[in-house]
Amino acid sequence: MAKVIFMQALSRRLRNVLADRPHVASLFERALVERDDHALAEAFELLQAAPNESRLAVEAVILDWLFGEERLGPTDPLSELERSKATHH
């Protein structure tokens, strides 16, 4: 099954849950936009110093983005097809 993934959706949600940690949010955004492994590793390192609640929120966002509804854009032609397949399994 092909998955349509929008990086903008992930960046937006990470910015929302990391509103109190803008430096970490901007590192995640840069890592995603530039596909920068170093920035991604640095963002996760900084996240380790954050309260458990923040770490769990980021984890939830990433897992939902990978496996939930966020992987499909609302106007993507495959959205309805993928969602209908998901409801039949």
Side-chain angles (χ1 to χ4, degrees), residues 8 10 18 23 34-35 40-42 46 66 69-70 72 75 82 86:
Q8 297 90 352
L10 178 57
L18 292 169
H23 180 64
E34 298 175 8
R35 298 175 189 237
L40 186 60
E42 187 178 346
L46 288 173
L66 285 171
E69 292 295 317
E70 279 296 316
L72 299 168
T75 59
E82 290 294 325

Side-chain angles (χ1 to χ4, degrees), residues 27-28 30-31 36-48:
L27 275 173
F28 272 112
R30 188 179 92 213
D36 183 341
D37 294 347
H38 180 71
L40 186 60
E42 187 178 346
F44 276 111
E45 274 184 40
L46 288 173
L47 191 60
Q48 290 303 312

Side-chain angles (χ1 to χ4, degrees), residues 43-58:
F44 276 111
E45 274 184 40
L46 288 173
L47 191 60
Q48 290 303 312
N52 194 42
E53 183 178 295
S54 295
R55 291 192 310 271
L56 291 174
V58 168

